[in-house]
Amino acid sequence: MKLLLISTVVLFASVSAIGNLYNGGGGKQCTECPPGYDFYSRKFDRGWCMKVQFNFVVSIRNYFLQFFPGNVTFFEAEKVCRCQGGATLSGIENTKELKKLSRKINEYFDENGIKSGGIWVGAYRRKDCRVPKSENKPECTKEFQYQWTDRSTIEREMWTNHWTEGAPHNNVVGNHSEFCVQLQVTDPTKTALNEHFDNRICVHRDGSSAFETEGFICGRPPKCKGGNNGGYSGGDGVIVIGAARPTQKP
């Protein structure tokens, strides 16, 4: 009961704070995303912009060519997102977002002869669950073992319904634990594998995998129109309770 009450308070505080962060307020409509991003409408009048970054994508900025390979570690992907206008690795809040993103990824895979791949998302194992047999702790079941890191995503639908079979695992590969998460994308007819999440070590693995890293999802607040501020929404000294933002390798 105590855990439930604490979770409810944290969720309420987080939703309130996030609403202030991304809804704009003061008559502002925050629905405009930067080039390459798509707008997603979320519960509680929240908006969020997302894009998928793939292997060998070229970006032109101030007349310089920038190459952003998708086959990067979790921490490298986070760095690339932040360097592109202050975005971050993004979570996926609901099935509608998942379906739209997976369609875009599969279109890219089809065009480039890729059969399947893993896409980094903004999620990291909670501190209390980074211990052996953490799945036996009531606060570390598959629905609660991981938390989104982007300061916007709050729903747990993905953790409840979209883990791949057997995940999340608690394996150790070399000196690395599986603290990070990838979205698996493959042939849509393979429903047991496609659009499911698997926890992975946050760095490059030795050997091959059925789901090699092929990209990552960046997310950021939308741009506001009207009101007192025409810039990107966010700031104003609001603190989001429970936000996870890993800064070092496990």
Side-chain angles (χ1 to χ4, degrees):
M1 179 62 71
K2 182 182 293 184
L3 175 63
L4 176 61
L5 290 174
I6 292 174
S7 300
T8 302
V9 171
V10 171
L11 176 60
F12 177 78
S14 299
V15 169
S16 299
I18 291 169
N20 291 333
L21 271 171
Y22 302 134
N23 194 31
K28 291 181 286 185
Q29 296 179 348
C30 305
T31 59
E32 184 176 338
C33 294
Y37 285 79
D38 292 319
F39 178 79
Y40 294 80
S41 179
R42 292 179 163 180
K43 287 183 178 179
F44 309 109
D45 296 323
R46 293 174 299 126
W48 190 242
C49 301
M50 284 189 281
K51 76 169 182 177
V52 185
Q53 181 77 60
F54 295 108
N55 278 327
F56 309 116
V57 175
V58 180
S59 174
I60 300 178
R61 183 179 178 87
N62 297 331
Y63 303 102
F64 289 97
L65 295 181
Q66 297 177 318
F67 294 85
F68 297 126
N71 187 19
V72 296
T73 69
F74 172 87
F75 298 98
E76 290 168 342
E78 175 67 25
K79 183 177 180 180
V80 172
C81 288
R82 293 190 187 190
C83 288
Q84 296 187 52
T88 184
L89 278 174
S90 181
I92 301 174
E93 185 146 299
N94 52 54
T95 300
K96 184 177 180 180
E97 292 182 1
L98 177 65
K99 293 292 184 183
K100 183 174 180 178
L101 289 164
S102 67
R103 281 197 301 270
K104 287 180 173 291
I105 295 167
N106 260 317
E107 287 173 2
Y108 175 85
F109 282 5
D110 290 343
E111 293 171 358
N112 291 274
I114 301 172
K115 293 183 177 180
S116 61
I119 305 293
W120 290 119
V121 296
Y124 203 77
R125 182 171 284 175
R126 294 176 55 220
K127 184 176 181 180
D128 292 343
C129 304
R130 300 176 204 165
V131 295
K133 298 183 178 180
S134 63
E135 64 274 12
N136 296 329
K137 300 173 66 175
E139 66 271 30
C140 295
T141 60
K142 69 177 184 178
E143 295 88 352
F144 297 98
Q145 195 172 134
Y146 284 78
Q147 63 186 127
W148 302 113
T149 62
D150 61 16
R151 295 176 176 261
S152 174
T153 310
I154 57 175
E155 297 292 328
R156 299 189 180 276
E157 180 182 344
M158 299 299 103
W159 305 144
T160 303
N161 301 320
H162 289 279
W163 281 114
T164 194
E165 184 177 0
H169 318 97
N170 210 3
N171 300 324
V172 176
V173 181
N175 295 322
H176 303 283
S177 298
E178 296 179 317
F179 289 165
C180 297
V181 178
Q182 287 191 348
L183 170 64
Q184 295 181 167
V185 180
T186 186
D187 183 344
T189 63
K190 298 179 179 179
T191 55
L193 295 173
N194 187 49
E195 298 178 353
H196 284 68
F197 294 89
D198 192 16
N199 60 319
R200 308 275 291 269
I201 63 172
C202 305
V203 297
H204 292 303
R205 298 182 301 177
D206 295 330
S208 60
S209 168
F211 291 91
E212 296 289 350
T213 302
E214 294 291 347
F216 47 93
I217 300 173
C218 295
R220 61 167 303 145
K223 188 176 181 180
C224 298
K225 294 182 178 180
N228 300 320
N229 184 355
Y232 281 100
S233 58
D236 299 328
V238 178
I239 298 175
V240 180
I241 299 174
R245 191 172 288 271
T247 57
Q248 61 183 7
K249 296 181 180 180

